[in-house]
Amino acid sequence: MVVAIAVTGVLSVATVLTGLITNEASAQQRWPGSLEVIRTHAWQSLGVLAMLLVGLTVALVVLPEGGATTPAGPEEPSGDDAEPPTPPVGEETAPVEEGRKAQQERLTRLSTGLVSRLGRRRTAYPLDLSLAELHRMDLFVPGRLARYHERAPETGEPVVAALVARLCGGESVLLLGEPGSGKSLSLYGVALALRRAGLRPIPLRALDALEVVGDLRTAGLDPMEAADAVVLVDGLDEASELADGGPLTAALLDLLGHGPALVTSRTREYEEWIAFETTGISFDEVFVLRGWSVEIEFADYLSRLQRHGLITDPGLYRTVVTSERLTRLVKRPLYARMLTFIGPDAATRVSSASNLYGEYLNRLGRTTDFAVRGSHPGWGGQSLSVWQAAAWLVHAQDLPADAIPMAELFAALTPDSGRGAEIRALDQVIDRRTLHGTEVGEFLHYSFYENLLARHIRNRLLSDLSTEQAVVALRHDLTREVRHHLIGQLQELADRGLGERLSELYRKLRDEPGLDPADRLIVCNLLVYLISRTSPAAPEQLSTLLHRERDEFLLSAILWALCHHRSDFALSRFFSLLQYDPEFRACSRGYVLYYYGDVRTGRPPFLDRPPYLPHERTTTRVLAMFESPTFQAIPAQRRYVDLYTFMDIYLVRHETIGGRSLSTLGAAVDALSGQGLTQAMEEKLSDMLQTISRRPIPDANPTSFAG
């Protein structure tokens, strides 16, 4: 076509020139020979030439490329029955088809590799088996699901079948569960079922999402372009970087924005912060993994273990079913697996979850020592100490507990001469993998890290600590989970002299010159908490500390602890300070916001001052606490302070509350009637509740509410 147009253009120019020449020649001279005919009939000659040009142009257009003629074939269909023209084989169809097949093969290999990587992860028991081996040996006991907002019914849908059905239907699902409830095992089961259904599961850890997305882009792959790809994200609660709204958040949103997808997370972490950081991610369904029952899931698990010779004594079932405390423990699959490891004899000594961890880790330490000594005869038998030191190092150096840089951990813990033995001991409780080209690790279960850290701190507290050593041990605040493990471990010891030693340490720290003010507040606050929870003489010891204390932050900590011990004097003092000391009120509100996660940075004291921070996490968690049946078992003095401080957060912000939240608050306030509070205290709570239950006039709150 291009050649035809070019020829036509050239000949057109020639025609024009011929016409001009003819015109000129006819006017001035005679042409020789037969050309005289053209001169004498100039315009007729021009017409003939034009017709020849048109014919030549048409011939060039219809002529096939290369000048070859095409043999006649059958008559082509026309109209609606006509097929679209097919590109010549080898020029378009083959490369496109081959490229598509190659991409599908790469995506299949990626899916297979990611499923295998997930399957290599280990679980709490049996420790030498991976998730894949547990499934292959039929040791996976499927749990049951309940919809997040319908958790009361005792029945539920089988976890794997229910999740696969929704994913195959194109839905995105969030799966919540307590630590050790079986989320990762269930996710692996879903991946296998999807593969059997002819789909391509893309399972990954939330922390690995950025790396996986990068690998996909490098390979020119987009799993969401494949209709049979299903993304499975495990451990959304591990991805603390979500709070920054950075590349990890973008990578997760990219993976989850197309659906279908399955995402797992620990329940409390999701409720308290993830839901507020991932508003761009939505789910069609939210499920919660139910706990096991002794008669169904636990009995099933024991029979599977017995079939494979992993346990021989069936007496554990009888031990558990006849014990109320053990029956409560085995509702969490992690605890059930730990019980099967320690056996029925040790199980009879278990009185709490903290006690169970102690029995489990002690036995695991002895088992590991025996195994390490087989290849390192000089091993002294200190696996448990190595694990505790590793947990402490992660905490003290603020390393990510779910992505510990292993080279850094090994360098800090193991001298070159003994590195092989200590690495083998660490490998018993730490799973290693590669993240962004670096070897990282994590404890087989996050609660192992928390318990081992608490054990390390417990041992430090039981030694004769100097003030400097106490600051080193306690200057990094502890999470609620670590605090609970630590309290459980200290309570088991029943050391009657511990409270007095901690009180004396508090007094020394208050007078220690040159101590960083924030460190002093953190350590003293933790000491108050430990005294109040572990010492039989806590009311007397805390009252003695109170008489000398003038710092608002520590005053609040001591009074709160005394109210937990039903002290009317402490409540009266607390009430007076809340009424007339704006600094104390701001400090009390600030600590509540810090404790429940709305204040995520900074060092104490935490003052709730303008411009006020949002308080969604605090509101969600505190209202859930008020709704819990166990809240009524808390001493009235402590409940009063909780209610006052929470409503004060709304008052200083001139915010209102309504609906179910208002009903919850109203019921909690009413429940304090007749609990020995003064009339002034009851009236104050009623006034506060009335004020935040309607839209107040700005700057028109009573003077006693002024911030």
Side-chain angles (χ1 to χ4, degrees):
M1 178 63 75
V2 174
V3 174
I5 293 172
V7 172
T8 301
V10 172
L11 292 178
S12 298
V13 172
T15 300
V16 172
L17 290 175
T18 301
L20 292 173
I21 292 170
T22 301
N23 185 61
E24 180 66 22
S26 62
Q28 295 185 13
Q29 67 183 29
R30 180 183 179 89
W31 286 16
S34 60
L35 293 178
E36 179 65 15
V37 177
I38 298 175
R39 189 187 71 80
T40 56
H41 302 87
W43 296 112
Q44 292 88 341
S45 300
L46 184 60
V48 171
L49 180 60
M51 291 177 66
L52 290 173
L53 286 172
V54 172
L56 177 62
T57 300
V58 172
L60 287 171
V61 170
V62 300
L63 187 67
E65 280 192 65
T69 58
T70 304
E75 184 178 349
E76 294 291 331
S78 60
D80 296 336
D81 295 330
E83 293 288 336
T86 303
V89 176
E91 294 185 13
E92 287 188 36
T93 304
V96 170
E97 187 62 30
E98 289 174 5
R100 186 180 296 111
K101 286 182 179 178
Q103 187 180 49
Q104 294 298 311
E105 289 173 0
R106 290 198 302 271
L107 192 57
T108 298
R109 287 195 299 271
L110 172 73
S111 172
T112 302
L114 290 174
V115 171
S116 297
R117 184 162 75 174
L118 173 62
R120 287 193 294 271
R121 288 174 60 185
R122 291 183 290 155
T123 186
Y125 177 78
L127 279 171
D128 55 343
L129 297 182
S130 65
L131 301 185
E133 289 168 323
L134 289 172
H135 275 269
R136 190 160 52 247
M137 296 171 66
D138 197 29
L139 292 175
F140 169 59
V141 178
R144 291 187 171 272
L145 298 176
R147 286 182 172 81
Y148 179 67
H149 295 291
E150 301 173 6
R151 284 179 271 184
E154 290 302 320
T155 59
E157 301 178 69
V159 57
V160 173
L163 294 175
V164 169
R166 282 161 176 80
L167 293 170
C168 289
E171 297 183 17
S172 290
V173 182
L174 172 64
L175 177 62
L176 301 176
E178 298 299 324
S181 59
K183 298 183 295 296
S184 297
L185 261 172
S186 299
L187 188 86
Y188 183 72
V190 169
L192 296 180
L194 288 172
R195 200 157 60 181
R196 288 193 297 269
L199 300 176
R200 287 189 182 93
I202 310 291
L204 66 150
R205 302 285 295 276
L207 276 173
D208 300 340
L210 190 59
E211 181 182 30
V212 171
V213 169
D215 292 344
L216 287 169
R217 289 174 177 164
T218 301
L221 296 174
D222 183 355
M224 293 302 96
E225 289 182 357
D228 56 359
V230 181
V231 175
L232 311 174
V233 179
D234 194 23
L236 193 64
D237 51 277
E238 298 172 358
S240 57
E241 297 175 49
L242 290 173
D244 302 329
L248 180 59
T249 307
L252 281 170
L253 287 172
D254 187 31
L255 284 170
L256 301 176
H258 305 276
L262 170 63
V263 179
T264 72
S265 172
R266 287 181 286 187
T267 305
R268 186 178 68 78
E269 282 75 4
Y270 185 82
E271 291 175 337
E272 291 191 4
W273 68 270
I274 298 176
F276 303 103
E277 304 291 354
T278 56
T279 54
I281 303 174
S282 60
F283 301 95
D284 298 298
E285 291 272 13
V286 180
F287 287 110
V288 179
L289 265 174
R290 289 197 177 283
W292 279 5
S293 72
V294 178
E295 297 81 3
I296 302 175
E297 286 88 2
F298 183 62
D300 184 10
Y301 182 58
L302 291 180
S303 66
R304 292 171 189 245
L305 291 175
Q306 198 167 2
R307 283 199 302 271
H308 287 279
L310 294 169
I311 60 171
T312 56
D313 184 2
L316 181 58
Y317 180 79
R318 292 192 299 272
T319 301
V320 171
V321 79
T322 56
S323 168
E324 185 178 347
R325 65 178 182 276
L326 294 179
T327 298
R328 287 196 302 269
L329 283 174
V330 298
K331 287 183 178 179
R332 187 171 297 189
L334 173 65
Y335 295 167
R337 294 196 295 270
M338 291 166 68
L339 278 171
T340 58
F341 180 64
I342 66 175
D345 291 338
T348 59
R349 301 192 295 269
V350 171
S351 58
S352 64
S354 177
N355 190 236
L356 173 60
Y357 278 97
E359 292 283 350
Y360 179 86
L361 291 171
N362 285 338
R363 178 168 180 181
L364 182 60
R366 292 192 298 269
T367 303
T368 302
D369 287 338
F370 179 80
V372 173
R373 202 174 288 118
S375 54
H376 299 81
W379 180 247
Q382 64 268 25
S383 294
L384 189 56
S385 297
V386 171
W387 301 340
Q388 290 173 195
W392 166 252
L393 190 72
V394 169
H395 172 72
Q397 297 192 9
D398 199 25
L399 301 176
D402 37 30
I404 308 166
M406 295 307 295
E408 192 173 335
L409 185 68
F410 291 151
L413 288 180
T414 60
D416 291 338
S417 58
R419 176 164 293 187
E422 299 207 7
I423 288 176
R424 182 167 181 188
L426 285 170
D427 279 343
Q428 190 70 356
V429 295
I430 291 181
D431 239 354
R432 290 192 259 168
R433 70 186 193 280
T434 300
L435 179 63
H436 305 305
T438 302
E439 186 179 51
V440 299
E442 64 179 320
F443 286 87
L444 289 180
H445 198 272
Y446 200 83
S447 61
F448 290 180
Y449 159 71
E450 295 164 339
N451 187 273
L452 289 164
L453 172 59
R455 288 172 74 121
H456 177 91
I457 295 172
R458 178 203 64 184
N459 292 346
R460 300 288 293 165
L461 291 174
L462 294 176
S463 63
D464 188 16
L465 284 179
S466 66
T467 53
E468 293 81 5
Q469 291 169 329
V471 170
V472 170
L474 299 176
R475 67 183 299 269
H476 297 279
D477 207 357
L478 305 177
T479 65
R480 274 178 284 171
E481 289 75 16
V482 176
R483 289 187 185 199
H484 293 163
H485 281 292
L486 179 58
I487 292 301
Q489 293 166 11
L490 291 173
Q491 286 175 341
E492 288 171 18
L493 296 173
D495 184 347
R496 298 188 66 83
L498 177 63
E500 189 52 46
R501 294 199 302 274
L502 296 178
S503 299
E504 180 60 27
L505 194 56
Y506 181 100
R507 286 188 285 269
K508 289 180 180 178
L509 285 166
R510 289 299 287 120
D511 299 329
E512 184 74 17
L515 190 60
D516 179 82
D519 283 349
R520 190 194 313 272
L521 295 181
I522 291 172
V523 176
C524 286
N525 177 58
L526 278 172
L527 289 173
V528 167
Y529 176 82
L530 293 173
I531 293 167
S532 71
R533 296 300 196 277
T534 64
S535 174
E540 296 80 10
Q541 291 160 348
L542 292 172
S543 296
T544 301
L545 298 179
L546 179 66
H547 290 318
R548 296 184 56 199
E549 193 55 71
R550 295 295 177 268
D551 180 88
E552 285 89 355
F553 180 78
L554 294 178
L555 267 176
S556 177
I558 296 173
L559 290 172
W560 224 304
L562 283 168
C563 286
H564 193 79
H565 283 276
R566 306 179 187 277
S567 171
D568 289 326
F569 168 76
L571 178 59
S572 178
R573 178 86 180 275
F574 214 135
F575 180 69
S576 177
L577 288 168
L578 288 171
Q579 285 283 92
Y580 304 113
D581 188 339
E583 187 81 359
F584 182 82
R585 280 178 60 206
C587 188
S588 297
R589 292 193 308 269
Y591 187 75
V592 171
L593 294 168
Y594 162 75
Y595 189 72
Y596 289 109
D598 285 304
V599 176
R600 297 179 65 87
T601 58
R603 310 252 284 159
F606 307 103
L607 298 174
D608 183 36
R609 290 173 172 166
Y612 293 116
L613 292 172
H615 53 89
E616 286 88 352
R617 295 177 179 86
T618 299
T619 295
T620 299
R621 193 64 183 171
V622 171
L623 286 173
M625 178 180 70
F626 291 164
E627 283 186 338
S628 172
T630 59
F631 183 63
Q632 299 308 317
I634 297 174
Q637 294 85 347
R638 166 64 189 273
R639 281 185 281 151
Y640 185 91
V641 173
D642 288 341
L643 283 162
Y644 190 118
T645 310
F646 176 71
M647 288 195 286
D648 201 29
I649 292 172
Y650 278 81
L651 281 167
V652 298
R653 288 163 172 75
H654 303 295
E655 294 177 354
T656 59
I657 196 166
R660 178 177 173 180
S661 299
L662 180 60
S663 300
T664 297
L665 276 177
V669 170
D670 291 342
L672 286 173
S673 180
Q675 298 291 309
L677 306 178
T678 66
Q679 183 177 352
M681 291 178 182
E682 291 190 14
E683 289 177 352
K684 178 59 66 177
L685 279 192
S686 297
D687 290 345
M688 295 172 80
L689 183 63
Q690 178 64 28
T691 303
I692 67 172
S693 65
R694 65 174 185 270
R695 185 172 297 281
I697 301 171
D699 302 321
N701 284 331
T703 304
S704 61
F705 292 152

